Amino acid sequence: MIGAGLTGPLLATYLAHRGYCVEIFERRSDMRKESISAGRSINLALSARGNNALKEVGLYDKIKPNTIPMKGRMIHGLNGNTNLQPYGQKENEVIFSVSRAQLNMELMNMAEETGNVTIQFNHQLLSADLEQNKLLFQLSDSLEKIEWPFKRVIGCDGSASILRKSIVEKANIKYLKKPLGHGYKELTIPAMDSGKFQIEPNALHIWPRGNYMLIALPNNDYSFTCTLFFPMIGKTSFDTVRTEKEILDLFQSQFPDSIDLMPNLVEEFQKNPIGDLASVYCKPWHWEDKALLIGDAAHAVVPFFGQGMNASFQDCSTLAKLVDQNENNWKIIFNAFSSAQVENGHAIADMALENYMEMRDHVNDPKYKKRREIELKLERMFPDQFIPRYSMVSFHQIPYAEVYQLGKRQFNIIGEVLKADPSGQFIDKAMVEKMLS
């Protein structure tokens, strides 16, 4: 396997439990022994699909105590007023903030503890010869280049996957990397001197401002990791906001209630790197029975539905089931995995882009709020037939492609309800029943 981020060690554990020996090659040094640099670790939101995978490999009970439940979006207006928009209507419909670094380390530990997994750090993949079954690595400490033979290789090496590049060059696969045009920068809301959270911890905080937004997720040390999603170029962008005055002017005018919460705002803004955001679409995700792409390497998504990790973890669960059904027939396994998951990967990539528009803009729109109100009413009226799209994605295991189609139908139903009664007070139950059938 290539990559010891979140997906690699999880998938290695699934395979190790099935008797396979796995070697993981990771370009970075071992994060358990060296501190990781700040500014590149968008907080993770763990939801049903990710939780299910962690339960399947036996890690969920260890991770759960270190997560923080978030019951909805806390919207911050320009005037400083806040309002909570719950994610769901049931007590258990929450998502969980989790430390990427802690989860990654636990996954690596778990993989190694199986006795069937070895992780080689400081190995940067340069290329893969799929005909000769050879991988070419460069060792980051000595810059020495080494060849490594393989029988089968799985790319868990993220959106900039080198293995994907080799497969694209070798096979006739469709591939598109779609840059968002917006980047991100991480900032921090520290804990209070008394050791408490400065703002409500059980919510994902959003400062939506039309073309950009600031978000904040809680950490176990009572701080919040904030992420500014911002245009890369343009009149108001990372290209034009650089000096102390420009940074303070932006935050005083757009996020005024956040300034007192972030004493190190200017220093962090100027020091922390700008991260790129892009969606990856490719089809299929494998080449013969030799090479497979999984997780972000196959379907990188922008982080606005909180599904990047969850989708990748569900990939691992799906692949493990296919291994069980088709023991050792990797041609069938890889083919079936691509057939089952490509459409789902494309669907969540599209939904994540749509959710960015919703988070940075629509959440404050009265029309959006009205539609959301009707959506929740319809869920109460038809609990088994009408599950809001966000709930289907975050609290269920329904395939993403199916969710996408159901979401379109629901959008039309809500439109018809509003057409019949613009106030949304009256819902024609018989009409909705007919549209749902």
Side-chain angles (χ1 to χ4, degrees):
M1 283 185 191
I2 311 301
L6 299 168
T7 308
L10 175 66
L11 181 57
T13 302
Y14 271 111
L15 294 177
H17 287 169
R18 286 154 176 79
Y20 292 96
C21 291
V22 182
E23 193 134 27
I24 304 176
F25 294 89
E26 167 57 46
R27 64 180 174 81
R28 300 168 300 174
S29 55
D30 190 343
M31 67 191 304
R32 295 167 295 181
K33 298 175 182 175
E34 298 180 22
S35 60
I36 57 170
S37 60
R40 287 283 187 191
S41 57
I42 293 179
N43 270 48
L44 301 171
L46 192 57
S47 55
R49 297 166 203 266
N51 284 332
N52 177 67
L54 294 177
K55 287 173 184 174
E56 287 181 344
V57 295
L59 190 60
Y60 178 77
D61 289 340
K62 189 170 186 179
I63 291 296
K64 178 76 189 305
N66 296 312
T67 64
I68 300 173
M70 298 182 292
K71 56 194 174 185
R73 299 165 173 166
M74 186 69 78
I75 309 300
H76 292 249
L78 261 176
N79 58 5
N81 289 345
T82 59
N83 75 285
L84 182 70
Q85 296 181 359
Y87 287 129
Q89 304 192 80
K90 299 169 188 167
E91 196 69 28
N92 65 338
E93 290 186 334
V94 297
I95 62 176
F96 299 88
S97 177
V98 64
S99 159
R100 175 192 291 269
Q102 184 183 12
L103 181 56
N104 202 163
M105 290 187 280
E106 293 290 359
L107 285 165
M108 288 193 285
N109 290 338
M110 179 182 65
E112 289 177 334
E113 284 163 10
T114 65
N116 281 355
V117 179
T118 305
I119 306 176
Q120 304 273 7
F121 293 97
N122 298 310
H123 281 65
Q124 167 72 56
L125 180 67
L126 298 180
S127 63
D129 185 333
L130 301 176
E131 291 284 3
Q132 300 298 316
N133 288 20
K134 290 178 182 176
L135 303 171
L136 179 64
F137 293 98
Q138 184 170 54
L139 306 184
S140 58
D141 45 2
S142 66
L143 301 183
E144 178 190 355
K145 291 181 181 178
I146 60 168
E147 275 193 347
W148 200 278
F150 72 89
K151 187 173 182 182
R152 197 157 285 108
V153 61
I154 300 178
C156 314
D157 48 342
S159 62
S161 171
I162 298 299
L163 184 64
R164 185 185 63 231
K165 183 172 181 285
S166 295
I167 294 175
V168 168
E169 288 170 356
K170 175 70 185 169
N172 182 27
I173 73 171
K174 295 177 182 174
Y175 164 68
L176 173 67
K177 187 169 186 176
K178 192 187 290 183
L180 182 66
H182 286 207
Y184 70 90
K185 187 179 285 281
E186 288 202 344
L187 306 164
T188 310
I189 295 176
M192 295 171 67
D193 291 339
S194 59
K196 294 182 180 178
F197 287 105
Q198 292 200 60
I199 51 178
E200 167 60 48
N202 298 119
L204 188 157
H205 292 259
I206 306 179
W207 288 258
R209 296 299 180 260
N211 194 36
Y212 48 86
M213 68 176 179
L214 179 71
I215 69 169
L217 277 79
N219 297 312
N220 280 315
D221 63 0
Y222 303 102
S223 70
F224 282 79
T225 299
C226 301
T227 311
L228 176 66
F229 296 101
F230 210 50
M232 297 293 282
I233 58 173
K235 186 178 178 184
T236 304
S237 66
F238 283 126
D239 199 36
T240 60
V241 179
R242 295 181 180 181
T243 67
E244 179 175 350
K245 182 180 185 306
E246 288 163 348
I247 296 164
L248 291 175
D249 283 351
L250 171 70
F251 275 75
Q252 282 163 356
S253 65
Q254 298 301 316
F255 315 113
D257 61 327
S258 74
I259 288 188
D260 290 342
L261 304 173
M262 293 192 278
N264 302 314
L265 168 62
V266 173
E267 180 190 349
E268 287 188 332
F269 196 104
Q270 292 179 331
K271 181 185 71 175
N272 288 349
I274 298 168
D276 293 325
L277 294 167
S279 304
V280 166
Y281 300 82
C282 72
K283 179 181 181 179
W285 292 351
H286 71 287
W287 188 73
E288 296 186 350
D289 66 343
K290 291 185 180 183
L292 178 75
L293 302 171
I294 195 167
D296 283 355
H299 55 80
V301 300
V302 291
F304 306 115
F305 222 130
Q307 287 298 299
M309 169 185 63
N310 293 288
S312 298
F313 282 12
Q314 189 173 53
D315 281 349
C316 297
S317 176
T318 300
L319 186 62
K321 289 181 178 67
L322 290 170
V323 170
D324 291 340
Q325 293 162 15
N326 306 279
E327 190 176 354
N328 285 325
N329 192 329
W330 289 93
K331 189 166 188 177
I332 289 177
I333 292 166
F334 285 1
N335 267 317
F337 182 72
S338 274
S339 297
Q341 292 297 86
V342 165
E343 195 179 359
N344 292 322
H346 292 179
I348 189 55
D350 290 342
M351 287 191 284
L353 288 167
E354 290 171 13
N355 220 47
Y356 185 32
M357 301 293 291
E358 182 175 307
M359 289 172 73
R360 76 185 200 201
D361 193 5
H362 301 166
V363 288
N364 272 333
D365 186 337
K367 289 180 182 175
Y368 166 82
K369 291 179 180 177
K370 176 61 68 180
R371 294 187 74 93
R372 178 64 174 157
E373 188 183 305
I374 293 167
E375 187 177 46
L376 297 177
K377 276 186 187 176
L378 290 170
E379 183 185 23
R380 291 193 292 271
M381 290 172 74
F382 305 97
D384 298 323
Q385 295 170 278
F386 194 104
I387 304 168
R389 187 172 85 164
Y390 187 91
S391 298
M392 286 192 285
V393 167
S394 299
F395 310 130
H396 295 263
Q397 301 284 333
I398 303 166
Y400 291 123
E402 191 178 327
V403 171
Y404 196 58
Q405 294 307 317
L406 288 169
K408 284 183 182 176
R409 185 172 71 157
Q410 290 177 354
F411 190 86
N412 292 335
I413 290 171
I414 294 170
E416 290 301 316
V417 168
L418 282 169
K419 199 184 291 182
D421 177 19
S423 72
Q425 295 301 307
F426 172 74
I427 294 178
D428 185 335
K429 192 171 182 180
M431 177 190 77
V432 175
E433 269 179 339
K434 189 176 178 182
M435 294 183 76
L436 285 171
S437 63

